[in-house]
Amino acid sequence: IGGHAGIRDTSEMMVAQPEGVRTAKLADHTKPNADASGNATKATAAIGQKMLQLKIEAALQEIEKIESLPLAKDHFGWFDSFK
């Protein structure tokens, strides 16, 4: 999957901000360098969509956990405005 500018990063950007992906410069950086690591040539918008969905679902689960805490109910009522 790689790190910066690898499969995950590039795939997510293809969904979140496609105009920010320089497709002509996608490269295989499986030997990490200072700029990128991973193989961005294998990135797809479909992978990006799935990865972003997983992140969103995980974030929502964490928010729900926080909301269920007694302290959160007393001090973080503003969460209700997001529902």
Side-chain angles (χ1 to χ4, degrees), residues 25-80:
K25 293 194 173 230
L26 295 182
D28 181 352
H29 296 286
T30 50
K31 293 181 182 173
N33 62 39
D35 297 325
S37 67
N39 187 350
T41 64
K42 295 185 178 197
T44 67
I47 292 171
Q49 184 67 43
K50 184 63 176 176
M51 296 300 293
L52 289 172
Q53 187 62 41
L54 290 170
K55 285 182 175 185
I56 291 166
E57 289 171 7
L60 290 173
Q61 288 175 2
E62 291 301 312
I63 290 169
E64 289 171 2
K65 284 180 193 175
I66 291 169
E67 285 183 320
S68 71
L69 298 173
L71 180 64
K73 289 179 181 175
D74 294 338
H75 297 285
F76 299 110
W78 59 271
F79 279 133
D80 292 333

